[in-house]
Amino acid sequence: MATIKDVARVAGVSVASVSRVLNNGPKVSKATIEKVTRVMQELNYSPNANARALVTQKSTTLGVVIPNLVDPFFASLAQGVEQVARQKNMQLLLSTGLVSAETEMQAINLLIERRCEVMVIHSKKLSDQALIALANQVPGLVLIDRYIEAIAQRCIWLDNLEGGRIAARHFLALAHKNVACISSKYQIDDPRLRLQGFQSELLSAGVDIEPELIAYGEPTLQGGEIAVQKLLASGKSFSALFVYNDAMAIGAISALEDNGFKVPSEISVLGFDDVLLSRYSRPKLSTLNYPVEEMAIHAASIGIDLASKQPKNTANINCKYIPSLVKRESTSFNLT
Amino acid sequence: MATIKDVARVAGVSVASVSRVLNNGPKVSKATIEKVTRVMQELNYSPNANARALVTQKSTTLGVVIPNLVDPFFASLAQGVEQVARQKNMQLLLSTGLVSAETEMQAINLLIERRCEVMVIHSKKLSDQALIALANQVPGLVLIDRYIEAIAQRCIWLDNLEGGRIAARHFLALAHKNVACISSKYQIDDPRLRLQGFQSELLSAGVDIEPELIAYGEPTLQGGEIAVQKLLASGKSFSALFVYNDAMAIGAISALEDNGFKVPSEISVLGFDDVLLSRYSRPKLSTLNYPVEEMAIHAASIGIDLASKQPKNTANINCKYIPSLVKRESTSFNLT
DNA sequence: TTGAAAGCGATACCAA
DNA sequence: TTGGTATCGCTTTCAA
């Protein structure tokens, strides 16, 4: 592959001149520009981004660390970041398949080795402490879907507690008293807070959830199916079901109908996230909107700003998002 | 950020020695290893991947070019590649948002600038000619979901024509004679071949599709909804509908039911791709399985092999995949 | 407006 | 087993 030296030699100029036309540098004669440009095409020259990154000490790479791509929630997240990357002429370096604190750390370390200056991280396994250390090391690191007090201005997060409360209020408004819940088996903040907000708001209205009516499962379609089976196996009846996320909710509805329960006439089901799919499931899923793509765009923008020499937004940026209720068909007034 | 020189200086050894312990090089004393390792931790040293790539002339990057991430089909594709990347200790460089031949070319050029040696490309806009030129330039470039004769051994593709035939045979076996079809408005090979195989197989059984019963739309959930409306607006009736992909099919079902048609008792709907979602839609979607993740893994593996010094599989690798019918609930015997 | 040369951070060859 | 050093491809002063 042709190098800058080849171009310089063939064009009969110095590498400095080639570099100048490459970077639209100042003070290059039109003649040189034309000559060099022609030779670059002749030789099919492509500048080496690694060499460039090395000498300029800056990467045009935007790192993203997420658990997987198959979950549409994370796909939207990645898509949001990609959008910003494209706009800023940067490229996405993507890591998925994270299962433990070690793999998360490893993924981030690889980004650091690449000297990636801005990164959008979705980490659930790493400790606050580890993340804080990382954030101090990498100015352009932004956490999404996680809140850590010490680096609050680097966290873009959703108020899950309030989300749970909103769900509870919705059920109360629909006169539901026998309420069940499906949460994630991974007891990280999100499911915990959603459940906590949900329970506390119900409780303050005098509604209690029986322990047998809280099931845990893998946060996937299949996980939702299995969790519903556990709920049904308890023998307790319920008229409303709040589910950790849309995927589980749709799995849950699927299993409920397979067991002869009508949604929403017999059981109302409320999801969380508002992934595209929820608009097209049958019945259309009532859910809480999680503006993840918008948040991802926000996160990437902040990261880029923070990584630049003079960051503008140091303080008082609003990093907290509140989910909003999207009422569709899977929830209805309790007639029992 | 600490460099190899800093480590060498503090540890009181040469950079060569540091490099050796970094790469588990041969002939390093245990004492040196320990000393250097300790200093590396002290200084929080992280080797610069760009410098490494420059001097070794090889990147540990696996490039992926796809239209978007939100479509679960492409998400699965990316996930498959990522899986191989992880296993081979490589990282994903991802480009999405492709809308034209220019943007596709640009995305690939950026990968070339990064000296990315293996790339899995999903291109629909670039010409055969352009892709062939690129393939000759980049030994590790593999095309997925596209077939080009001249570089057949670099293409991993699905037999869409046969897919269309399988769909037709399924409808014929279910005694459907009034058949409609929704295709993609982007008349690239995939929809064209699917439709062609579908029509020709029906025709050879004496079944013709009325022109008004072929609609085109955006290959998305919304696109499917809108296309169905066009079909219904034609006033012609039909008992079976073959749809370009699952997303459109689910949108189509949604719109059919909104218009009072029962699926499958009144209208059978058959999708294409078998994305995860199709198992959880209501009714569960009958579709044709497109083993995209498996194909992506295959593509990435071939790319890595091709990019290596002595590729093993030069010829007679099977690059053609055949879709298989997955009968679920959205298709049934015609009783009209 | 142009060129010479230093240097970015690593690897790897050749001597010692 | 170690160290010195040329080198990868480029950018960026500093002089000319």
Side-chain angles (χ1 to χ4, degrees):
Chain A
M1 177 149 286
T3 73
I4 199 172
K5 285 184 195 164
D6 299 321
V7 176
R9 188 168 30 74
V10 175
V13 298
S14 71
V15 294
S17 288
V18 179
S19 176
R20 284 186 195 106
V21 342
L22 211 47
N23 299 290
N24 303 312
K27 301 177 182 298
V28 227
S29 73
K30 215 168 166 207
T32 314
I33 295 183
E34 277 167 14
K35 191 170 26 170
V36 170
T37 309
R38 187 160 30 73
V39 173
M40 291 201 300
Q41 292 194 325
E42 262 175 46
L43 301 184
N44 194 18
Y45 171 71
S46 168
N48 186 320
N50 296 315
R52 268 183 159 164
L54 180 57
V55 65
T56 59
Q57 301 280 49
K58 64 180 55 203
S59 100
T60 54
T61 306
L62 216 167
V64 179
V65 176
I66 50 177
N68 69 71
L69 276 172
V70 172
D71 186 330
F73 178 83
F74 295 118
S76 295
L77 198 168
Q79 187 80 53
V81 177
E82 220 278 343
Q83 212 171 300
V84 178
R86 165 171 320 284
Q87 195 195 322
K88 299 282 185 181
N89 268 312
M90 302 180 76
Q91 285 179 277
L92 263 211
L93 209 43
L94 188 85
S95 266
T96 72
L98 314 168
V99 294
S100 64
E102 287 84 60
T103 48
E104 287 188 354
M105 194 55 158
Q106 203 177 314
I108 297 175
N109 276 331
L110 285 174
L111 293 179
I112 293 178
E113 291 190 5
R114 282 240 148 72
R115 296 301 182 263
C116 182
E117 288 153 331
V118 13
M119 13 209 271
V120 176
I121 307 291
H122 185 284
S123 165
K124 290 297 173 181
K125 303 289 173 59
L126 284 171
S127 66
D128 285 8
Q129 199 185 10
L131 254 7
I132 292 170
L134 247 11
N136 289 332
Q137 189 185 157
V138 183
L141 184 153
V142 175
L143 259 29
I144 190 163
D145 195 22
R146 178 151 176 173
Y147 177 73
I148 299 177
E149 181 84 40
I151 48 173
Q153 72 296 353
R154 310 273 286 277
C155 298
I156 301 292
W157 58 288
L158 186 87
D159 191 338
N160 286 298
L161 199 62
E162 180 62 16
R165 290 196 205 106
I166 293 171
R169 276 179 237 133
H170 182 52
F171 280 166
L172 291 170
L174 295 176
H176 290 283
K177 305 274 178 198
N178 282 311
V179 176
C181 193
I182 291 178
S183 184
S184 167
K185 65 189 288 191
Y186 302 106
Q187 278 299 305
I188 49 179
D189 280 352
D190 311 45
R192 196 164 23 221
L193 291 170
R194 287 175 196 179
L195 184 52
Q196 187 184 324
F198 186 64
Q199 277 185 301
S200 68
E201 188 78 9
L202 284 178
L203 210 56
S204 66
V207 175
D208 205 359
I209 308 180
E210 300 194 59
E212 295 93 334
L213 287 181
I214 301 181
Y216 299 86
E218 204 73 36
T220 61
L221 285 160
Q222 292 93 331
E225 284 192 320
I226 296 168
V228 156
Q229 271 139 22
K230 284 190 221 163
L231 251 27
L232 296 177
S234 78
K236 306 267 181 186
S237 74
F238 53 96
S239 69
L241 175 61
F242 176 45
V243 187
Y244 173 58
N245 69 17
D246 289 347
M248 288 185 102
I250 289 168
I253 290 175
S254 186
L256 283 174
E257 301 206 329
D258 287 345
N259 281 277
F261 292 94
K262 295 263 180 291
V263 176
S265 57
E266 296 176 64
I267 298 179
S268 284
V269 177
L270 181 63
F272 206 112
D273 286 352
D274 193 23
V275 294
L276 185 60
L277 164 56
S278 61
R279 272 214 283 299
Y280 292 88
S281 67
R282 290 273 139 187
K284 290 173 185 147
L285 190 67
S286 292
T287 187
L288 291 169
N289 178 264
Y290 191 139
V292 59
E293 187 162 354
E294 182 187 341
M295 290 168 68
I297 290 173
H298 188 176
S301 309
I302 289 184
I304 290 175
D305 181 54
L306 254 28
S308 74
K309 303 308 164 199
Q310 351 49 350
K312 296 162 202 160
N313 329 316
T314 28
N316 83 346
I317 34 172
N318 184 19
C319 298
K320 179 168 105 174
Y321 285 72
I322 307 279
S324 57
L325 179 71
V326 181
K327 167 81 176 75
R328 295 205 184 88
E329 304 169 350
S330 67
T331 51
S332 68
F333 201 82
N334 180 25
L335 300 172
T336 61
Chain B
M1 178 150 280
T3 73
I4 199 173
K5 285 183 193 165
D6 299 321
V7 176
R9 187 169 31 75
V10 175
V13 299
S14 69
V15 293
S17 287
V18 177
S19 177
R20 282 184 197 106
V21 341
L22 211 47
N23 299 289
N24 302 311
K27 301 176 182 300
V28 225
S29 74
K30 217 168 164 205
T32 314
I33 295 183
E34 277 168 14
K35 191 171 21 169
V36 170
T37 309
R38 187 158 31 74
V39 174
M40 292 201 299
Q41 291 194 324
E42 262 175 46
L43 301 185
N44 194 18
Y45 170 72
S46 167
N48 185 320
N50 296 316
R52 265 183 163 161
L54 179 58
V55 66
T56 59
Q57 303 278 48
K58 62 180 58 205
S59 98
T60 54
T61 305
L62 216 166
V64 180
V65 176
I66 50 178
N68 68 73
L69 276 171
V70 171
D71 186 330
F73 177 84
F74 295 119
S76 295
L77 198 169
Q79 187 79 50
V81 177
E82 219 277 346
Q83 211 171 300
V84 177
R86 166 170 319 283
Q87 194 195 322
K88 299 283 185 179
N89 268 312
M90 302 178 78
Q91 283 180 279
L92 263 211
L93 210 43
L94 188 85
S95 266
T96 72
L98 313 169
V99 294
S100 64
E102 288 81 62
T103 49
E104 287 188 356
M105 194 55 159
Q106 202 177 316
I108 297 175
N109 276 331
L110 285 174
L111 293 179
I112 293 178
E113 290 190 5
R114 282 243 147 70
R115 296 301 183 263
C116 181
E117 288 153 330
V118 11
M119 13 208 273
V120 176
I121 307 292
H122 185 284
S123 166
K124 292 295 171 181
K125 303 288 174 60
L126 283 172
S127 67
D128 284 10
Q129 200 183 8
L131 255 6
I132 292 169
L134 246 11
N136 288 333
Q137 188 186 157
V138 183
L141 184 153
V142 176
L143 258 31
I144 189 161
D145 196 21
R146 177 150 178 175
Y147 177 73
I148 299 177
E149 182 84 40
I151 47 172
Q153 71 295 351
R154 310 273 285 277
C155 298
I156 301 292
W157 57 287
L158 185 88
D159 192 338
N160 286 298
L161 198 63
E162 181 62 16
R165 290 197 205 104
I166 293 170
R169 276 180 235 130
H170 181 51
F171 280 166
L172 291 170
L174 295 176
H176 289 283
K177 305 274 177 200
N178 282 313
V179 176
C181 193
I182 291 178
S183 186
S184 167
K185 66 188 289 189
Y186 302 106
Q187 278 300 304
I188 48 179
D189 280 352
D190 311 46
R192 196 163 23 222
L193 291 171
R194 286 175 197 178
L195 184 53
Q196 187 183 323
F198 185 65
Q199 278 185 300
S200 69
E201 189 79 7
L202 284 178
L203 211 56
S204 66
V207 174
D208 206 359
I209 308 180
E210 299 193 61
E212 294 93 334
L213 287 181
I214 301 181
Y216 299 86
E218 205 72 35
T220 60
L221 286 161
Q222 292 92 329
E225 283 191 319
I226 296 168
V228 155
Q229 270 139 21
K230 286 190 220 163
L231 252 25
L232 296 177
S234 78
K236 307 267 181 185
S237 74
F238 53 95
S239 70
L241 176 60
F242 176 45
V243 188
Y244 173 59
N245 69 17
D246 289 347
M248 288 186 102
I250 289 167
I253 291 175
S254 186
L256 284 174
E257 301 204 330
D258 286 345
N259 280 279
F261 293 94
K262 294 262 180 292
V263 176
S265 57
E266 297 176 62
I267 299 179
S268 283
V269 177
L270 181 63
F272 206 113
D273 286 352
D274 193 23
V275 293
L276 185 61
L277 162 57
S278 62
R279 273 215 281 299
Y280 291 86
S281 67
R282 290 273 141 184
K284 290 174 184 146
L285 190 67
S286 292
T287 188
L288 291 168
N289 178 265
Y290 191 138
V292 59
E293 186 161 355
E294 181 187 341
M295 289 167 67
I297 291 173
H298 188 177
S301 308
I302 289 183
I304 290 176
D305 181 53
L306 252 30
S308 74
K309 303 309 164 197
Q310 345 65 339
K312 296 162 199 158
N313 330 315
T314 28
N316 83 345
I317 34 172
N318 184 18
C319 298
K320 180 168 104 173
Y321 284 72
I322 308 279
S324 57
L325 179 72
V326 181
K327 168 82 176 74
R328 294 205 182 89
E329 302 168 351
S330 67
T331 52
S332 68
F333 200 82
N334 179 26
L335 300 172
T336 62

